[in-house]
Amino acid sequence: MARTHLGTRIRENRKSKNLSQKDLASLAGISASYLNLIEHNRRSIAGKTLIALAKGLGIDAQTLSEGMDTSLIDRVKRSGLKMRGFAIETDRSAEFAARFPGFARLIARLQDQVDQQEQQLTALADQMHHDPFFAEAMHLMLSNITTIRSTAEILANETDVPIDVARRFMDNLRDEANRLSTTVSDVLEHFEPSSETQSMTQGTLSFEALLEQNNHFLTDLEYKTTSADALIENTDGDSADRDKLRASINSYVDMAHRLPIDPFMEQAKQVGYDPLVLAQMLNTDISSICFRLAHMPTDADVPKFGLLQCDGSGAVLYRKQLSTFNLPRFGGACALWPVYRCMSQTGQPVSAFLDMPTGERFYTFSISYPVAPPQIGMPAQNESIMLFTANYELLANANFAALPQLAVGLQCTVCPRPNCTARRDAYLLGKS
Amino acid sequence: MAKSVTIIEDEPFIVEALTFLLEREGLRVSSFNDGEGSVAFIQKTRPDLVILDLMLPNISGMKILEDIRSNETLADLPVLMLTAKGQKKDRAAAETAGASLFMTKPFANSELVASVLNLLKS
């Protein structure tokens, strides 16, 4: 591959300098026929000949030999392949990159930007899909529209609606239209860019998107069929974003290395996925066990765990949500969740059932643990973690019946529970 | 005796419109606005058909459908499920759980009434 590109590059450089083969051959001290073979990629060159030709062309030998960037060609080619419906000569990508390196770099750069934006859109669409406020608002708007449509159809199509019923339906229409406009305003306000969402980095988005796309189990990293570097290679963004992505991927690799998935799955099944027993059995910390449990292959007889990790202020450090249990990215979650309660008793695990307003029930295991050594005069630095699952029938816990059952919500703005002592925001969608 | 329909739906104006439409067809209509207690209500009212909303407070429509199907005395009761458009997963799950028919919101009145009458005939 490299030899082919080098010959083509020499030819293109020579042509761009208006040199004949004879001229360049003479400058490099080789025969014109030998140069012809080199330019047609029938002879490989290195050493003195390469240096002489580079000198004859007035360019650096290293640039000439290494300048043909295969990743550039691949990106140009990929860009062509993605544009279906156009007869693009993708088989001539190498030639194009050699003849027009500036344009090739431009195309590659534009393609990178398109890829990055696609990734971002996927992550944002996913975020919207999991946004509990948005899901609730959509449901409410559809209910509003259903009422308006049904009521309007009755008024428009039925000829003998009693006058008092017609009046009531008119009132219903007005009230429902008002509710609809309020909901739409709430949705618009909710999606107004905030400083929080603006500060969200591409690195965080990329890793969350990567995990979502792979059902939170990165097979290639688990079985070392790819490296962290290879995964990061195609990700755009500034260096801070890439560093963040690299750190996230490296911690995943570390987890996969310390707790290899196949033996872990067997051991976890044996002990009914009990984090405390597993931590003792594998002589490791409880948070690592929780992370490992939240990143296992999807299988019918394996419980699907979600995970929330917070720092001492309640800020979200890491989250893995379930399709039925959405986690807000920036605090604002239900204050009754045990992940917050356990912060007051470091090292004391808390198990509880959470009952959602929708009727769904989740088993949770939460614990708070120190993240920095204690220092006199300094407050303790703790984090806490909450593991949760709806598949609690697959767990081994003889004391399920004795566990507290907490009536909670996701966050106040989408929680219709009346008279909640932990409420700090109003239920935005006005159903109560 | 007129056939009866029970509507399990938490939106009162939808209930009002549906009640109006179905009563005009000569049906007796009762309604319940919460997921919790809805199965007991159905057992008490013994309707010929249930219109069940998927998204209800406290207990989801899907769980109620499962409870209906696992209850010997209600297992054959026709159930028309209502849900929001695009919830393909819910639709598939409801079909598996034994919904007789599935309609998406917003619906046309004529279609809903025709579906109810067809289910009652069969």
Side-chain angles (χ1 to χ4, degrees), chain A residues 10-176:
Chain A
I10 290 169
R11 185 173 72 241
E12 296 309 329
N13 271 284
R14 175 177 62 72
K15 282 184 177 173
S16 71
K17 290 182 167 50
N18 288 321
L19 290 171
S20 67
Q21 276 189 339
K22 197 178 160 189
D23 294 337
L24 180 59
S26 165
L27 285 168
I30 58 174
S31 71
S33 57
Y34 183 44
L35 177 60
N36 189 46
L37 289 171
I38 293 169
E39 284 192 355
H40 286 89
N41 304 307
R42 291 185 190 156
R43 291 289 183 277
S44 58
I45 57 161
K48 279 183 188 172
T49 313
L50 177 66
I51 293 166
L53 281 168
K55 199 175 171 190
L57 290 167
I59 56 176
D60 178 61
Q62 194 174 355
T63 309
L64 184 62
S65 65
E66 294 175 359
M68 186 53 74
D69 182 351
T70 50
S71 87
L72 177 67
I73 297 165
D74 288 345
R75 283 148 76 206
V76 169
K77 191 171 184 176
R78 193 156 50 87
S79 177
L81 289 171
K82 280 188 108 172
M83 294 299 283
R84 287 179 188 169
F86 292 87
I88 297 174
E89 302 85 349
T90 49
D91 55 329
R92 296 176 68 186
S93 302
E95 185 186 341
F96 174 79
R99 291 187 68 168
F100 306 105
F103 275 122
R105 278 194 295 275
L106 175 65
I107 288 172
R109 179 70 189 150
L110 290 174
Q111 185 58 49
D112 289 348
Q113 281 178 359
V114 168
D115 289 347
Q116 182 197 353
Q117 279 162 7
E118 275 177 4
Q119 259 187 1
Q120 224 164 343
L121 273 178
T122 308
L124 287 171
D126 180 67
Q127 197 188 337
M128 190 179 276
H129 178 70
H130 287 301
D131 186 321
F133 176 87
F134 188 66
E136 177 76 7
M138 282 296 112
H139 170 67
L140 186 56
M141 280 194 280
L142 270 168
S143 291
N144 296 151
I145 292 164
T146 304
T147 301
I148 290 169
R149 180 172 172 181
S150 280
T151 311
E153 269 185 31
I154 291 170
L155 290 172
N157 299 341
E158 309 290 335
T159 49
D160 54 349
V161 182
I163 188 74
D164 57 323
V165 176
R167 277 195 186 132
R168 208 170 59 239
F169 279 163
M170 292 294 278
D171 288 346
N172 291 356
L173 272 182
R174 184 200 56 219
D175 291 351
E176 207 63 13

Side-chain angles (χ1 to χ4, degrees), chain A residues 311-330:
Chain A
D311 68 11
S313 75
V316 176
L317 300 175
Y318 186 84
R319 58 176 198 158
K320 180 203 163 188
Q321 40 197 9
L322 301 178
S323 59
T324 47
F325 195 141
N326 301 314
L327 301 166
R329 187 186 297 272
F330 307 107

Side-chain angles (χ1 to χ4, degrees), chain A residues 226-245:
Chain A
T226 194
S227 65
D229 285 343
L231 270 182
I232 297 161
E233 197 180 335
N234 289 327
T235 311
D236 219 326
D238 62 28
S239 61
D241 296 335
R242 291 171 80 93
D243 288 348
K244 206 157 193 175
L245 178 62

Side-chain angles (χ1 to χ4, degrees), chain A residues 369-375 380-382:
Chain A
Y369 48 91
V371 288
Q375 288 181 57
Q381 288 178 51
N382 295 334

Side-chain angles (χ1 to χ4, degrees), chain B residues 3-5 27 47-49 78 114-122:
Chain B
K3 292 208 167 178
S4 63
V5 175
L27 301 169
D48 297 298
L49 181 142
S115 301
V116 167
L117 295 178
N118 274 338
L119 281 172
L120 285 172
K121 256 189 231 167
S122 61

Side-chain angles (χ1 to χ4, degrees), chain B residues 4 9 25-26 33 40 50 52 54-55 57 59 70 73 75 78-79 88 91 95 99 101-102 119-120 122:
Chain B
S4 63
E9 163 69 76
E25 298 297 327
N33 66 358
V50 169
L52 176 61
L54 191 69
M55 297 269 284
I59 295 180
S70 61
T73 59
V79 176
K88 286 183 191 162
R91 192 183 183 119
E95 277 166 4
L101 196 68
F102 209 91
L119 281 172
L120 285 172
S122 61

